[in-house]
């Protein structure tokens, strides 16, 4: 069975429920590929939240502003790329996490 819609919603959850949707998909899906994608999305959202929080704190010292911009753009770009790849049926792996979660 093709789970393109589920994978796309998992990626899109970065914009409305970054932790809840991947956890639900990971718990409920039976397909290994969909479970791996949900785990990757969950870890990516978690790491981006941590990195953006640290950058925000460091922005008071001005050193965190470039990191805040870069991590913010990454948090927007990669979920959108994942949505597009999922709808096209192409495999997508988050940077660094794709090789860890398999």
């Amino acid at each position: 069975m093709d789970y393109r819609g589920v994978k796309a919603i998992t990626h899109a959850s970065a914009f409305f429920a970054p932790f809840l949707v991947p956890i639900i998909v990971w718990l409920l899906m039976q397909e290994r590929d969909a479970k791996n994608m949900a785990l990757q999305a969950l870890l990516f959202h978690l790491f981006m939240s941590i990195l953006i929080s640290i950058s925000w704190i460091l922005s008071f010292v001005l050193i965190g502003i470039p990191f805040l911009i870069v991590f913010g753009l990454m948090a927007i770009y990669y979920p959108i790329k994942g949505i597009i790849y999922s709808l096209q049926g192409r495999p997508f792996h988050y940077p660094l996490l794709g090789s860890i979660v398999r």
Side-chain angles (χ1 to χ4, degrees):
M1 183 168 201
D2 192 17
Y3 293 102
R4 290 182 189 181
V6 173
K7 292 177 186 177
I9 290 172
T10 303
H11 294 299
S13 71
F15 305 112
F16 61 90
F19 301 110
L20 182 64
V21 173
I23 289 173
I24 291 172
V25 170
W26 185 74
L27 290 174
L28 296 180
M29 296 302 294
Q30 298 297 322
E31 184 190 51
R32 183 174 182 244
D33 191 38
K35 287 179 88 81
N36 286 343
M37 187 56 56
L39 185 58
Q40 283 184 43
L42 177 65
L43 291 175
F44 180 77
H45 301 323
L46 179 68
F47 289 146
M48 283 288 104
S49 297
I50 291 168
L51 291 173
I52 289 173
S53 298
I54 291 170
S55 299
W56 183 78
I57 292 168
L58 290 176
S59 68
F60 293 112
V61 191
L62 296 178
I63 196 170
I65 293 174
F67 293 118
L68 189 60
I69 292 169
V70 169
F71 295 141
L73 290 174
M74 284 176 60
I76 294 171
Y77 173 74
Y78 283 109
I80 291 173
K81 185 177 178 181
I83 293 167
I84 293 169
Y85 275 41
S86 294
L87 292 176
Q88 293 175 348
R90 295 168 53 187
F92 174 76
H93 301 287
Y94 284 99
L96 300 174
L97 296 173
S99 61
I100 295 171
V101 179
R102 291 218 178 173

